[in-house]
Amino acid sequence: MKFVLLPGMDGTGLLFEPLLNLWTEATPPAVLSYPADRILSYEQIESDVLSQLPVDEPYILIAESYSGPIAVRIAAKCPPMLRGLVLSATFVQRPGGRLGKWCRFLVGPYLFSGTAPRAIAKKMLQWQGLPYEKIQLWLEAFEHLRSRVLAARLKEILEVDVLEDLKKCEVPILCLYGKKDLLLSNRSHELIYQANSKVKRVGLDTPHFLLQAKPAEALHEIQIFTQILENSQLKVLLPNELHAKFVDGWNER
């Protein structure tokens, strides 16, 4: 089974390093990245990602934070080789609710310019409980981004809504969330869980950046998810039978 990783808001893929360092599969995953100097909408990035997905071998799509809506929109299109979806610390509707939608008008490049934003981000990451080396990795990833690109991505996050797309997804979905997430409320993962019966939700004792804080635990859950999918012989099962197999396999853990 091939794996395709979609990055968080930084778009670089650098933050997958802790997970990749523990990766045990024979074939390393494909880590996609987004332009750091161009403003692209969710739709434009989705189109670019679709053009890079495997067409001749089965794969699992793993999306972190910002990329969750992109992965959901892709899965709703039922790509023939897609076998499963892993959503990590992400959302399907604007995280701030109606307030967030109005706050988007206050978002601009000025929020990410100068030294103050870096200092604030560092404090925020420390508050989230990330160790020093993971904080440095995070800061390095975001140094590649232009302020206007960051602002544009934050604006899109504050108005995104792919809930109806999630309801259309036919593949099994693993939803990982951090129990100590201070950036996303419980509503984010609860909404994912309630919207689609194929979702299996697993909480880890981590902050928002769970793939960086607890990569071994996250990888363990991904491996269990993959094993259940492979044991279910997805190629020959009808959608309802596939889901029944997935649920049975997960409950037998």
Side-chain angles (χ1 to χ4, degrees), residues 26-248:
T27 303
V31 179
L32 304 190
S33 61
Y34 311 142
D37 58 350
R38 285 190 295 133
I39 295 176
L40 297 178
S41 67
Y42 262 135
E43 288 77 12
Q44 289 172 313
I45 294 178
E46 176 196 342
S47 177
D48 185 52
V49 170
L50 274 169
S51 69
Q52 300 180 67
L53 294 178
V55 295
D56 56 359
E57 61 180 320
Y59 65 93
I60 292 175
L61 201 55
I62 301 177
E64 182 179 30
S65 192
Y66 170 83
S67 288
I70 297 171
V72 167
R73 285 170 60 98
I74 289 173
K77 292 178 169 59
C78 300
M81 292 291 107
L82 180 63
R83 296 293 182 261
L85 183 61
V86 178
L87 300 175
S88 175
T90 190
F91 45 88
V92 291
Q93 279 189 339
R94 48 186 179 271
R98 292 181 180 179
L99 178 62
K101 186 175 182 179
W102 287 108
C103 285
R104 69 181 295 274
F105 296 107
L106 302 176
V107 175
Y110 69 91
L111 290 178
F112 306 99
S113 302
T115 58
R118 180 184 174 92
I120 293 172
K122 189 172 181 179
K123 287 294 183 182
M124 178 194 71
L125 294 170
Q126 291 172 339
W127 188 36
Q128 282 272 275
L130 281 183
Y132 174 80
E133 66 275 9
K134 303 294 174 60
I135 292 176
Q136 292 304 116
L137 179 64
W138 191 94
L139 293 174
E140 178 187 347
F142 276 83
E143 282 179 354
H144 294 265
L145 275 173
R146 299 281 180 86
S147 297
R148 58 188 178 85
V149 175
L150 266 173
R153 289 180 184 170
L154 180 55
K155 281 186 176 183
E156 286 222 303
I157 287 173
L158 293 177
E159 65 174 350
V160 71
D161 188 343
V162 296
L163 183 61
E164 293 305 313
D165 296 280
L166 177 61
K167 293 177 181 179
K168 298 174 185 176
C169 295
E170 292 295 330
V171 296
I173 301 169
L174 171 62
C175 173
L176 299 175
Y177 70 93
K179 294 179 180 179
K180 298 178 180 177
D181 194 332
L182 300 178
L183 299 183
L184 296 178
S185 68
N186 290 335
R187 177 181 177 273
S188 294
H189 62 80
E190 287 172 355
L191 197 60
I192 293 173
Y193 179 69
Q194 294 166 4
N196 191 310
S197 63
K198 297 175 181 63
V199 172
K200 285 298 169 181
R201 185 173 49 161
V202 177
L204 301 181
D205 189 28
T206 68
H208 177 72
F209 308 97
L210 64 87
L211 296 182
Q212 293 74 41
K214 296 287 181 69
E217 292 182 20
L219 181 58
H220 177 66
E221 295 298 337
I222 293 171
Q223 289 172 332
I224 292 173
F225 177 72
T226 303
Q227 184 178 15
I228 293 172
L229 293 184
E230 291 175 339
N231 291 344
S232 298
Q233 299 178 339
L234 302 188
K235 292 183 180 180
V236 298
L237 292 175
L238 296 174
N240 289 338
E241 294 172 324
L242 183 155
H243 178 50
K245 282 280 190 179
F246 177 69
V247 172
D248 290 344

